[in-house]
Amino acid sequence: MHDVLIVGGGPVGLSCRARRSTAEGCSPSRKTRTFAVSLTMIVATGLATPTITNTQADASAEVRSPYATSESNTSGAQGEHRDARCYGVRVPVSVARVGKAHVYGELCQPRRGDKTSRIVQLLVPGSTYNHSYFDMPVRRSHYSYVARALDAGHSTFNIDRLATGRSTLPPSSLYTLDAGVQAIHQVITKLRAGDIGHRRFTRVVWVGHSLGSSMAWAEAQQYQDVDAFVLTGMSHVVRQERPSTGHGEEIPFEIKAKDDPKFRGTVSDPGYLTTNAGMRRFFYHEPNADPAVIEADERLKDLSTAADSTGPTLPPEQSPSRSIKVPTLIVVGDQDPYCTTGVCTPESMLAHERSYYSDTADLKAIVVSDSGHSVQLHKNAPRTNAAILQWIATVVS
């Protein structure tokens, strides 16, 4: 039985399971911000088109991340990807309300200079994640999407979104998703111009996870500068499910980051949030997850803000995703709240999602069996990543 399905072009597999997992132990209550509600709020919001004025984009001083380090020509990824050239880069940007800032990313390029190395995959992680999502430091040959992309001859630019990780952490009251989208657009412009890594990339593929996928909708609505989209852990439907309440305890899914031991003393802004201790496991279908990965996920968790889940709810014909005019692939786990109710298959996903996209997006779907929200961090990650890279190879050249 195969682990991955694809409809409309890929001979990848034939299986989907309708089982629903029940997590043991305590879980978020109805009175708190639960996993399901958190995801629902993000997916149900249509990201507004940014309106940027010269007066808003002022020259205020940059706010540094607590992770910020001095510039370096190499990154931690270099030691892990020896067949590639990897650089840690702080890309200067200037965005509405925030002003001057930077977006941190790790650029990895295959050492062999064939045509595919001119294609760069821009990796955009989800809420409370940073670049480690796509380059998880646990059995990288198994779980790292960066490693698999490099093996396929593709360059990757693996970023921390604005207001996360080693990127600028602006005052939370000033940060908006529109600002985050504008910052990523500036990164794309610099990738194409050769301002990052001294190479002009001719094709840019946006690979997003969760919030990093929904931000792609808004970016396409405003800028139209991406050649293909891979949108993982995101759709316009959310199953209204909650992890089982093992002990009836009321534990919030997210807390103020300043109260979390990881960020205490480095993040004082009360508007920054992070997941509560032990909550990362709800991003996984645990029977198909490596405990070492969940532990690393907890250790490497990052920040979110209220801006991650605000905006109007829009009908399909008004959805920003309809602005996408290039090939688009949706990838979800069959245990993810973003997978359709009942038996979740590529057919059911496409039936629901097609009205949210234009015909020119040529929408395709992969459903990964026995996988939860963090779909590329389950034990069947190699097959999932191989299916994604196979699709990219067919649509971008």
Side-chain angles (χ1 to χ4, degrees), residues 67-397:
Y67 297 96
T69 59
S70 59
E71 291 285 353
S72 174
N73 290 330
T74 60
S75 72
Q78 182 63 76
E80 301 296 335
H81 305 292
R82 299 188 182 279
D83 292 331
R85 295 181 297 273
C86 294
Y87 308 83
V89 183
R90 294 214 316 241
V91 182
V93 297
S94 182
V95 298
R97 301 182 65 191
V98 173
K100 293 180 179 180
H102 75 267
V103 172
Y104 175 81
E106 295 185 349
L107 178 67
C108 286
Q109 301 169 270
R111 292 192 183 277
R112 63 184 187 277
D114 56 20
K115 290 182 179 179
T116 56
S117 64
R118 293 285 180 175
I119 301 169
V120 64
Q121 296 190 34
L122 177 67
L123 311 183
V124 186
S127 183
T128 71
Y129 275 106
N130 52 45
H131 68 277
S132 63
Y133 176 82
F134 290 103
D135 198 14
M136 184 60 65
V138 177
R139 292 179 60 198
R140 273 191 167 94
S141 62
H142 192 93
Y143 291 106
S144 170
Y145 181 74
V146 169
R148 294 304 296 263
L150 290 169
D151 288 344
H154 289 257
S155 299
T156 60
F157 192 50
N158 188 16
I159 68 169
D160 293 341
R161 292 178 296 101
L162 194 63
T164 65
R166 297 180 181 178
S167 293
T168 298
L169 302 186
S172 61
S173 60
L174 298 181
Y175 175 73
T176 65
L177 279 185
D178 292 343
V181 168
Q182 188 190 14
I184 295 175
H185 163 66
Q186 292 175 33
V187 169
I188 293 170
T189 300
K190 292 176 186 293
L191 285 168
R192 290 189 180 277
D195 295 336
I196 301 174
H198 308 292
R199 167 169 291 198
R200 293 178 184 269
F201 292 101
T202 58
R203 297 288 187 271
V204 177
V205 179
W206 180 305
V207 181
H209 172 246
S210 194
L211 179 65
S213 293
S214 61
M215 290 176 77
W217 302 336
E219 207 280 343
Q221 185 181 45
Q222 182 72 1
Y223 301 110
Q224 296 289 324
D225 57 358
V226 172
D227 297 284
F229 289 97
V230 177
L231 308 179
T232 75
M234 178 56 60
S235 73
H236 295 84
V237 61
V238 174
R239 298 194 303 244
Q240 295 297 328
E241 296 182 356
R242 301 171 187 272
S244 63
T245 54
H247 305 291
E249 299 179 56
E250 295 185 2
I251 298 179
F253 187 77
E254 287 189 322
I255 61 173
K256 293 178 179 179
K258 69 183 185 66
D259 297 329
D260 187 277
K262 175 176 179 177
F263 299 103
R264 191 175 295 139
T266 59
V267 176
S268 59
D269 186 331
Y272 278 100
L273 308 174
T274 193
T275 50
N276 209 343
M279 292 295 145
R280 308 302 287 189
R281 65 191 179 96
F282 292 121
F283 292 146
Y284 295 83
H285 179 55
E286 291 191 81
N288 189 35
D290 186 336
V293 171
I294 299 177
E295 186 279 328
D297 193 331
E298 180 74 32
R299 175 169 44 85
L300 296 167
K301 69 181 182 180
D302 215 279
L303 303 170
S304 70
T305 72
D308 289 356
S309 54
T310 59
T313 299
L314 299 174
E317 63 273 12
Q318 297 177 26
S319 175
S321 57
R322 286 196 62 84
S323 299
I324 294 179
K325 309 297 183 186
V326 296
T328 301
L329 175 68
I330 298 172
V331 184
V332 292
D334 68 347
Q335 306 295 323
D336 191 341
Y338 288 126
C339 218
T340 49
T341 56
V343 178
C344 182
T345 67
E347 291 86 358
S348 67
M349 287 298 298
L350 290 175
H352 185 275
E353 291 296 299
R354 277 201 180 104
S355 62
Y356 290 91
Y357 291 86
S358 69
D359 290 341
T360 55
D362 192 23
L363 192 65
K364 301 293 188 293
I366 292 175
V367 173
V368 184
S369 69
D370 297 325
S371 294
H373 185 58
S374 294
V375 64
Q376 290 169 277
L377 294 180
H378 286 71
K379 290 179 179 178
N380 45 6
R383 295 183 185 180
T384 304
N385 293 335
I388 292 171
L389 290 164
Q390 178 186 2
W391 178 84
I392 291 173
T394 65
V395 301
V396 181
S397 60

